[in-house]
Amino acid sequence: MKNLRYFLFLLAFLPSLAFSQNLAEKLGYSSDTKLLIIHADDLGVSHSENSATFEALKNGLVNSTSMMVPVAWSAEAAAMAQEIPDLDIGIHITLTNEWEDFNWGPEAGRTAVPGLANQMGHMYADCGPVAINASPEEVEIEIRAQIKAANQMGITPTHLDSHMGCIFYGRPEYLASYLKIAQELKIPAMINQQMIDNIVSPNSLLFAGLNVENFPLVDQLFMAEPKDYEAGMEAYYTNSLNNLTSGLNVILIHLAFDDEEMNAVTKGHDTYHAPWRQADYDFFTSEKARELLKKNKVQLVTWREVGKTM
Amino acid sequence: MKNLRYFLFLLAFLPSLAFSQNLAEKLGYSSDTKLLIIHADDLGVSHSENSATFEALKNGLVNSTSMMVPVAWSAEAAAMAQEIPDLDIGIHITLTNEWEDFNWGPEAGRTAVPGLANQMGHMYADCGPVAINASPEEVEIEIRAQIKAANQMGITPTHLDSHMGCIFYGRPEYLASYLKIAQELKIPAMINQQMIDNIVSPNSLLFAGLNVENFPLVDQLFMAEPKDYEAGMEAYYTNSLNNLTSGLNVILIHLAFDDEEMNAVTKGHDTYHAPWRQADYDFFTSEKARELLKKNKVQLVTWREVGKTM
């Protein structure tokens, strides 16, 4: 009788015992494992980006990517994706068009979501005008349109994330739509504690129907900034790989070749431009990066794997 | 008194005397002049197309072009156009997206003109599905949207023509919209006697409000076909230039470089593909072409000049 009561007591606590496992343990690793996703953003933006990203997925260290849907080359990205079984490929929710002479408009069409298009029908160049002009309803329509179009190209996304972070830097409703849709699809959406503290918590009513706590949080997010590019990408990424901590680390990179097309796409920009993307490609296909991962006992994981813990 | 009556008699006939002038005479040349427009289609479709077309406009023999508006690189074409004063640049009315992995949708947006978009939101690959799915109203909305977007990029079109001829091979109402809009803009729209006989005359009610007879007609239209490409472009264009007749001749060409980007755009096609466009570029920037124009006493004219006779 005493034993039975003890057993029932244990049973009652099992869910919270399971909940107390951290992400690494849920994935079958020891609790202090340095998990890492090496994630190539902006797939689909150009032929150069597609070629470099798939080269790095096949022969380099990149193990996850996300595609921009409303862009001219997204169908090529989707076709290339068929060549890698179980590829980790998300939707890089795109609300902006940051390049001068290479343009796209909203997937849902400017008539359906006029707040996401400038007077030329292109998306705005940065997140500010998006937040001013695009209603939460329009952003939700556009997110759904991008996912639907990707589905029609044969892509079942493994995760969601946000081009230029406009989902995070826009209105809190955008984040609510993003998480709601990810929850519907039962896939992770990239999010961290900072976003919970700064966007979710102060706007709890907007997130009321969502199990936000169910989303795996990114513990450390690395993305090179202009000063890092100036100081040299090898130094930045070497430092990043030497400073991974236990938990979920994500390195966001942008891969393309420093070629004619990519220079034309990124014309007039001196950051995130063709040579920057070539430097990302060079590092994450290098022997040095491979050795750093080994030396630092890094466990590569994909968003698909992480999603299974939800 | 007799003289005055004679003078009035002459005055009464002046308009018809003017009307009896042919196009060459209206332009100030002798009636048997071989007028020629060397016209680069598809400007705006890619960076490669833009680079090659402007190179040939600046340093080659090409003297007119028309831009595809709903494509990612149209803004680059519009920016490059600013570098050539009084450039002859029309709108290459685009109702199709013939490439597999490089895509665009209607400028007006799929919600406004659903009949111009497939389920991925892209335009159909050829004219047939356009004619089946796109209502005359949708095509008129789309033509106006493309012209408006070009205006917003700083382009005042000198003429209209039709990508893949879908305006001519679609429904007769498409041609009526095309001519009506050109008439409103007081610019020429590419048309020939065959189109008058086969589309306008049998559907005269559709064209009732239009001064169709006011449009300058193309007397001879040259465009290389697959058999010409196989036999060699130099032979085809040499023969074309040796066989120009008096009146308005138009040679339609497609210029791009046989580079990585253009091969990716035209992937899976063995006509109008990257090497075809390089061959067009090579001929119309060659010394041989220049000599043939001279030898055949060809008078180059632009659509802008031709339009002044309307």
Side-chain angles (χ1 to χ4, degrees), chain A residues 47 51 72-73 75-76 79 100-103 107-112 119-120 122 152-153 260-261 264-265, chain B residues 47 51 72-73 75-76 79 100-103 107-112 119-120 122 152-153 260-261 264-265:
Chain A
H47 173 65
S51 304
W73 288 103
E76 184 186 60
E100 285 177 29
D101 286 344
F102 179 73
N103 303 118
E107 186 66 33
R110 64 197 295 186
T111 314
Q119 63 166 3
M120 307 238 260
H122 306 148
Q152 284 166 331
M153 292 178 205
E260 169 85 15
E261 179 204 13
V265 167
Chain B
H47 173 66
S51 305
W73 288 104
E76 185 186 59
E100 287 176 28
D101 287 344
F102 179 73
N103 304 117
E107 185 66 32
R110 64 197 297 185
T111 314
Q119 62 166 2
M120 308 237 259
H122 307 147
Q152 284 165 331
M153 292 178 206
E260 169 84 14
E261 180 204 12
V265 167

Side-chain angles (χ1 to χ4, degrees), chain B residues 157-207:
Chain B
T158 49
H159 60 289
L160 302 185
D161 62 4
S162 168
H163 183 54
M164 296 171 64
C166 296
I167 291 287
F168 318 129
Y169 306 136
R171 307 191 198 176
E173 290 90 342
Y174 300 173
L175 187 70
S177 289
Y178 165 85
L179 295 177
K180 179 173 71 177
I181 293 167
Q183 186 170 295
E184 286 173 19
L185 297 174
K186 300 187 174 66
I187 56 176
M190 196 183 77
I191 184 174
N192 63 14
Q193 189 62 45
Q194 202 185 357
M195 297 171 200
I196 303 276
D197 295 344
N198 297 340
I199 314 175
V200 178
S201 299
N203 299 282
S204 54
L205 272 180
L206 285 179
F207 296 85

Side-chain angles (χ1 to χ4, degrees), chain A residues 49 107 121 210 262 307:
Chain A
E49 191 92 20
E107 186 66 33
L210 289 169
M262 204 63 204

Side-chain angles (χ1 to χ4, degrees), chain B residues 36 73 136 191 204 208 214 226 240 243-244 264-265 267 293 306:
Chain B
L36 174 63
W73 288 104
I191 184 174
S204 54
N214 198 36
S240 301
N243 284 284
L244 303 180
V265 167
K267 197 194 77 174
L293 289 179
V306 169

